[in-house]
Amino acid sequence: MAPPTLSRPKAMAPSTPSRPSPSSSGGSAIQVVVRLRPMNESEKKHGTLPVVTAKTQEKSVTVIKGKGPRQIKSSFTFDNVFTAFSTQEEVFEATVKPMISDVMRGFESTVFAYGQTGTGKTHTMEGSLSSPELYGVIPRSAQAIFEHLKQPQYKDQVVTCSYLEIYNEELRDLLDDGTAKMNDKQGKLEIMEGKNGTFCRNLTEREVKSAEDVLNLMQKAQQQRIVGETKMNKSSSRSHCLFTIQVHGKITLLNGDGDMEFFGKLHMVDLAGSECAKSAGNEKGAPNEVARERERMNINRSLLTLGRVISILKERSENKNTNARIPYRDSKLTRILQESLGGRCKTVIVATLSPSITAIEESISTLNYAQSANGIMNKPVSSSLISFGVGENGFSNERPKEGSSVESWQEMEMRLQYMQAQVEEAQAALARKHLQQQELQERADKSEADLLESQQKLFNANLEINSLRDAVAEETQKRKESEEELFRTQEELKKTSLILKATQATEVALTTEARALIGTLETLIADRNEMHSLVVAQRDMESQRRKATQRFQQSALDVLSNIESAFAGLRSNIDVHQSNVIDSATLTHKLGRQSISEFEELLAEVARNVQSVTNSIKSQLTG
């Protein structure tokens, strides 16, 4: 691509314009960050001139191109800029970690690294799997996802991984165990259009339970990934790789009314580096010359298509050339990234750069590509011209006589500028480290004070615990006694309950009987009243009868008295008659003695009978 347009020296405004939020613009702008690698040992050994500098605080990248009066300084600003002093953790925390929350809420996100070969794309994406400090984006993303899933609101989660490689426009499954063959139609990888966008059919998806499982899959996949040695890089990636983590799970709602199901994806793409034939170093006659040249052409063709897609999307975002066709289908790379570029994904692009003068053209091309990917965002690009003699057209028309010394001075100035930028970055990094160290020291002091306080609290707590143990033992004894008393009380209560139940039953029976007795009593009272009336009537009759009896007794007594008188008179008459009879009997003794004896006995019997009847009547009358 052509370098930025020249302009007269002017003050630069390196601050990054503010991005509109998704809520205000209705979308999510592509975030673009730049990472500048340090000079490698080979460049230092050969004294390679550094021409690219970066400033993290200002989020700017400066490129110095050319020498002498035609020297051009171009400045670019981005969402974030990282230098040689930036750690892997800082890159991840500032770029990808905010996307993890989006993935855990069901969004599809993409992060991919773009740049010339040998600028640190694979280091940024994968890093060193043997050292946790050097972990790249992929392993750190896996750790962050599983840390999120440990939160209590997540449940029923399933995490799967896939690893796709695009080599010479051919699709390869890096997680395939060999069961699917490339010539088998059922197992052949194909990019298809689905209801949720493009996807790769028959791509293996491995379920993982932890971040360690992801690391194991990456280590196995690295053995199958195609790499090769070039002039720029001893282990250059010869293919584009797409590592995808899919998270399917549920989130419990705050009020507990239900669950929210989510399906999030995180695509992490490690693009092959762009190469030119001169810098690639494919010497004629080399055994792998044809293969390397084919790889280089396919890589550049797919990256060129990617650049065209981004340029057209840029024009559309600026309401220019809105009817232009977006060439997604011209490359398998752009087709698989269709949702990441102008689609539904939230995307972060990490552009990697080399500070070396030997890669200045590729660095400017990468910066222009990254600048285009800003979408609707306007990123300022300022240029300045350094001149030692001004002609009529404003530029120097003659070369200085002492060109070699001036050129050496300019190179020295460029090196000095690079070193100054490095020093500033180092000072900034040291300041950040110092602040971090101060924070750590403050945390340590606070932790030590908290520890002493905690120890004192622990000592007091132990004393309190010992006293509480005695109290607990006493309370336990009291509790046992209370439990025994409660048991006895419960037994008594049971007995009382049984007695109450029996009493209630008895009361019911007695109440029934009492009611029956009351009825009977009422009947008896009625009968008694009736009987009383009868008794009163009978008493009256008895009184009358007694009076009649008394009258009868009196009459009888009178009769008896008369009878007694009569008997007395009769006895006297009998006695007289007896004497008369005796007198006559004497005369008639022989004839009447027997009849007289009989007559006396008869009279005695009559007297006894009369006396018996009299006594009986008296007893009845007096009784």
Side-chain angles (χ1 to χ4, degrees):
M1 292 185 180
T5 305
L6 299 176
S7 64
R8 294 186 180 277
K10 58 182 180 180
M12 294 186 295
S15 60
T16 304
S18 60
R19 284 187 181 273
S21 62
S23 59
S24 62
S25 62
S28 177
I30 294 177
Q31 183 182 7
V32 181
V33 300
V34 173
R35 188 176 193 184
L36 178 65
R37 70 163 175 81
M39 299 283 285
N40 58 35
E41 295 298 325
S42 177
E43 292 168 344
K44 293 178 180 178
K45 180 179 179 181
H46 293 88
T48 304
L49 184 66
V51 294
V52 181
T53 58
K55 295 182 179 180
T56 303
Q57 298 295 330
E58 298 178 0
K59 301 179 181 179
S60 65
V61 178
T62 303
V63 182
I64 301 175
K65 182 180 180 182
K67 298 180 181 180
R70 305 292 296 180
Q71 187 181 76
I72 299 174
K73 179 187 289 186
S74 301
S75 181
F76 302 80
T77 57
F78 298 94
D79 296 292
N80 258 315
V81 173
F82 302 99
T83 65
F85 298 97
S86 301
T87 63
Q88 294 279 69
E89 182 179 3
E90 290 175 350
V91 174
F92 173 76
E93 292 286 335
T95 57
V96 184
K97 188 173 182 179
M99 301 172 65
I100 301 298
S101 299
D102 296 331
V103 173
M104 302 309 294
R105 291 187 289 123
F107 288 95
E108 187 173 355
S109 303
T110 302
V111 54
F112 63 89
Y114 174 88
Q116 184 191 16
T117 182
T119 54
K121 297 182 300 300
T122 302
H123 176 73
T124 299
M125 299 305 296
E126 296 183 359
S128 176
L129 302 182
S130 59
S131 174
E133 294 182 357
L134 299 179
Y135 280 173
V137 168
I138 298 177
R140 291 181 186 272
S141 299
Q143 290 177 340
I145 287 174
F146 282 101
E147 285 296 324
H148 268 271
L149 292 176
K150 291 179 180 179
Q151 298 178 12
Q153 64 266 29
Y154 293 99
K155 65 178 183 178
D156 300 334
Q157 63 270 12
V158 177
V159 183
T160 59
C161 295
S162 61
Y163 212 159
L164 176 66
E165 183 182 47
I166 304 176
Y167 174 70
N168 286 337
E169 288 300 295
E170 296 290 336
L171 304 177
R172 297 179 69 246
D173 189 351
L174 296 182
L175 300 183
D176 185 18
D177 54 5
T179 56
K181 297 182 179 179
M182 294 294 293
N183 296 328
D184 188 357
K185 293 184 179 181
Q186 294 181 353
K188 186 177 180 181
L189 301 178
E190 293 180 287
I191 298 176
M192 307 291 292
E193 295 284 344
K195 62 180 180 179
N196 296 324
T198 57
F199 70 99
C200 185
R201 186 173 67 178
N202 298 322
L203 184 63
T204 303
E205 292 183 358
R206 302 287 187 190
E207 183 176 355
V208 290
K209 301 294 185 181
S210 63
E212 288 74 18
D213 294 344
V214 177
L215 294 179
N216 293 333
L217 291 179
M218 291 180 62
Q219 290 173 349
K220 293 179 181 178
Q222 284 181 346
Q223 299 175 0
Q224 302 185 42
R225 188 173 179 181
I226 298 176
V227 296
E229 182 177 357
T230 65
K231 184 179 179 181
M232 301 293 295
N233 191 0
K234 291 184 179 181
S235 57
S236 175
S237 300
R238 312 309 297 166
S239 61
H240 310 299
C241 289
L242 172 64
F243 189 89
T244 301
I245 299 179
Q246 302 183 43
V247 185
H248 187 196
K250 294 181 180 179
I251 300 177
T252 304
L253 300 180
L254 294 180
N255 55 6
D257 291 339
D259 300 328
M260 182 183 77
E261 186 175 5
F262 70 95
F263 188 82
K265 290 184 180 181
L266 178 61
H267 307 289
M268 291 163 283
V269 187
D270 182 11
L271 300 178
S274 59
E275 297 177 350
C276 66
K278 180 178 179 181
S279 61
N282 295 326
E283 299 179 358
K284 294 183 178 180
N288 58 352
E289 176 188 359
V290 177
R292 289 289 178 265
E293 184 63 16
R294 182 187 176 190
E295 292 171 355
R296 184 186 66 80
M297 293 176 62
N298 285 321
I299 291 171
N300 290 342
R301 186 181 297 112
S302 61
L303 294 178
L304 180 61
T305 304
L306 180 62
R308 288 167 52 205
V309 168
I310 291 176
S311 297
I312 295 176
L313 290 174
K314 172 73 172 183
E315 292 176 356
R316 284 195 173 187
S317 68
E318 297 174 348
N319 296 323
K320 298 177 182 179
N321 197 15
T322 57
N323 296 325
R325 167 185 168 271
I326 302 176
Y328 287 122
R329 292 180 173 271
D330 291 359
S331 168
K332 291 184 178 179
L333 174 64
T334 53
R335 191 177 180 190
I336 199 68
L337 293 178
Q338 183 171 345
E339 294 299 328
S340 304
L341 301 170
R344 294 174 298 180
C345 283
K346 295 189 175 184
T347 304
V348 173
I349 299 176
V350 181
T352 56
L353 299 176
S354 167
S356 173
I357 192 174
T358 58
I360 187 171
E361 295 295 337
E362 287 80 5
S363 297
I364 292 177
S365 176
T366 299
L367 289 170
N368 288 329
Y369 155 84
Q371 192 69 37
S372 298
N374 271 320
I376 60 173
M377 307 306 300
N378 294 322
K379 293 292 181 177
V381 178
S382 61
S383 300
S384 61
L385 176 65
I386 301 176
S387 176
F388 293 96
V390 181
E392 294 179 357
N393 57 358
F395 298 99
S396 175
N397 295 322
E398 296 180 0
R399 297 181 61 85
K401 294 181 180 179
E402 299 178 356
S404 59
S405 61
V406 172
E407 182 176 347
S408 300
W409 179 83
Q410 291 176 350
E411 290 181 2
M412 186 179 299
E413 185 180 22
M414 292 170 65
R415 293 181 187 273
L416 180 60
Q417 291 178 356
Y418 175 79
M419 295 302 296
Q420 287 177 346
Q422 293 292 88
V423 169
E424 291 176 359
E425 284 301 311
Q427 290 175 346
L430 287 175
R432 291 195 298 270
K433 295 295 183 182
H434 181 67
L435 291 176
Q436 293 176 359
Q437 187 67 27
Q438 286 183 340
E439 291 178 358
L440 292 175
Q441 184 64 35
E442 291 175 357
R443 291 179 183 176
D445 295 339
K446 184 178 179 182
S447 299
E448 187 175 358
D450 292 341
L451 178 60
L452 294 175
E453 184 179 359
S454 299
Q455 289 177 347
Q456 183 63 35
K457 289 181 178 179
L458 179 61
F459 178 75
N460 297 333
N462 288 331
L463 293 178
E464 186 175 359
I465 287 172
N466 292 330
S467 62
L468 288 176
R469 283 177 180 171
D470 298 335
V472 167
E474 184 178 355
E475 289 296 328
T476 302
Q477 183 63 29
K478 291 181 179 179
R479 181 181 176 182
K480 289 181 179 179
E481 295 176 356
S482 300
E483 288 177 351
E484 293 176 357
E485 183 66 25
L486 178 62
F487 179 75
R488 291 192 296 269
T489 305
Q490 288 176 346
E491 291 296 324
E492 293 294 333
L493 181 60
K494 289 180 181 178
K495 294 178 181 179
T496 305
S497 299
L498 294 175
I499 293 171
L500 287 175
K501 289 181 181 179
T503 303
Q504 290 175 354
T506 305
E507 287 178 354
V508 171
L510 290 175
T511 302
T512 304
E513 292 179 0
R515 288 176 180 174
L517 290 174
I518 289 171
T520 305
L521 182 59
E522 291 175 350
T523 304
L524 290 175
I525 290 172
D527 294 341
R528 183 191 65 81
N529 292 333
E530 184 178 358
M531 184 64 69
H532 180 69
S533 300
L534 293 174
V535 169
V536 170
Q538 188 70 26
R539 186 186 62 184
D540 294 340
M541 292 176 64
E542 186 68 24
S543 178
Q544 294 176 2
R545 193 179 294 114
R546 286 181 180 176
K547 291 179 180 179
T549 302
Q550 289 176 358
R551 289 194 298 271
F552 173 75
Q553 288 177 353
Q554 187 64 36
S555 299
L557 289 175
D558 293 341
V559 172
L560 289 175
S561 296
N562 294 331
I563 291 172
E564 285 180 354
S565 297
F567 272 107
L570 180 60
R571 181 176 290 279
S572 65
N573 290 330
I574 289 172
D575 290 336
V576 172
H577 179 68
Q578 184 179 1
S579 63
N580 291 329
V581 171
I582 290 171
D583 288 340
S584 61
T586 302
L587 295 175
T588 62
H589 179 266
K590 291 181 181 180
L591 295 174
R593 189 174 184 86
Q594 183 176 0
S595 60
I596 293 171
S597 298
E598 291 176 1
F599 183 73
E600 287 178 356
E601 290 177 1
L602 177 62
L603 288 176
E605 182 68 25
V606 170
R608 285 194 299 272
N609 289 335
V610 170
Q611 186 67 35
S612 175
V613 170
T614 301
N615 294 331
S616 176
I617 291 171
K618 286 182 177 181
S619 63
Q620 290 180 358
L621 292 175
T622 58

